Amino acid sequence: MLESSKNSPMLNGPIEFDFTVEIERSASEVFPLVDLSDPRFSQVALGNTVKKLDEKSFELEIAEMEGHAFRFRVVEYAKDERHASKVTIEPAIGNLVEAVEDYQITPLGDDRCALTLVTKATFSDDLSVEEIVQEVAMMSMAVEEDLTKLKMHAEEGVEAVKAYNEEQEAAFGIELDLEGFDIDWDDIEPEQ
């Protein structure tokens, strides 16, 4: 995955992130939360806007990320089983070029299921090792956080997710501005 040559990129293809969570709800109750075409889609319930561009394309506008458009092109769809989309963000955030988000639901009985999110993220091909590590860490946290919130939404309702978001924001005492997020790795020294 990582190559070392001055004339070739460090990254060779997308990096895959794979997380699974068990949810105490049926697959048919969870699927609408990940289905962009469903009015019960989790982001709509949180107050964000989804516009249908054509039969398989959607645009998500997230209130906290004003000025960014999240464009989704559905590449695989099986009701109550799978929803996969190719995602681009305009303007880009960080070094992410595009991602494929693949939600897979496996029934574990009549009233519970496993929700797996496999994300294949493609980053700029001119990143340093430190930048790759930073991007991988941020994407890992984002994918895991997405599943945590979906589980919470399915089991406890959207108000629980809103409360969680407020708690997270208060705990950090800041609002995230992802534009220009950069770490100066030269200022970080390893522990002895």
Side-chain angles (χ1 to χ4, degrees):
M1 187 169 307
L2 295 180
E3 295 179 2
S4 177
S5 170
K6 289 189 177 197
N7 296 327
S8 68
M10 287 285 281
L11 290 176
N12 186 14
I15 298 175
E16 186 171 302
F17 303 85
D18 186 331
F19 290 91
T20 299
V21 65
E22 287 190 20
I23 301 177
E24 297 296 321
R25 293 290 182 266
S26 68
S28 63
E29 291 175 276
V30 172
F31 189 78
L33 300 178
V34 300
D35 182 359
L36 290 152
S37 67
D38 195 296
R40 297 168 290 176
F41 177 57
S42 65
Q43 289 296 324
V44 171
L46 289 168
N48 298 310
T49 305
V50 173
K51 296 177 189 172
K52 186 173 185 175
L53 303 176
D54 63 41
E55 199 58 37
K56 292 186 175 188
S57 298
F58 300 85
E59 183 173 282
L60 170 64
E61 293 179 5
I62 299 176
E64 295 84 21
M65 300 186 75
E66 188 177 340
H68 292 279
F70 294 75
R71 297 208 169 92
F72 295 80
R73 176 110 179 119
V74 177
V75 294
E76 197 162 340
Y77 182 96
K79 187 168 176 51
D80 296 339
E81 295 175 15
R82 190 170 200 175
H83 191 289
S85 299
K86 183 176 182 179
V87 185
T88 57
I89 305 170
E90 294 177 17
I93 296 175
N95 294 298
L96 181 65
V97 174
E98 69 179 24
V100 174
E101 295 181 344
D102 187 357
Y103 292 94
Q104 303 165 19
I105 302 176
T106 305
L108 300 174
D110 292 339
D111 61 349
R112 51 193 272 275
C113 66
L115 176 61
T116 299
L117 173 54
V118 177
T119 299
K120 294 179 181 176
T122 302
F123 298 101
S124 300
D125 61 3
D126 59 347
L127 301 179
S128 68
V129 171
E130 291 86 1
E131 289 170 319
I132 294 167
V133 169
Q134 178 182 344
E135 293 294 341
V136 168
M138 288 191 307
M139 184 61 76
S140 292
M141 288 187 300
V143 172
E144 188 172 24
E145 179 89 351
D146 187 22
L147 284 183
T148 298
K149 289 180 182 181
L150 286 167
K151 175 181 173 66
M152 190 179 301
H153 189 158
E155 294 178 349
E156 302 172 42
V158 70
E159 292 305 319
V161 178
K162 289 178 181 179
Y164 175 81
N165 287 343
E166 289 173 10
E167 288 172 16
Q168 292 295 94
E169 188 176 307
F172 289 105
I174 59 171
E175 289 186 30
L176 285 181
D177 178 6
L178 298 178
E179 282 298 314
F181 184 76
D182 193 21
I183 294 176
D184 186 352
W185 292 95
D186 294 330
D187 289 345
I188 299 174
E189 296 181 23
E191 289 185 24
Q192 298 296 326

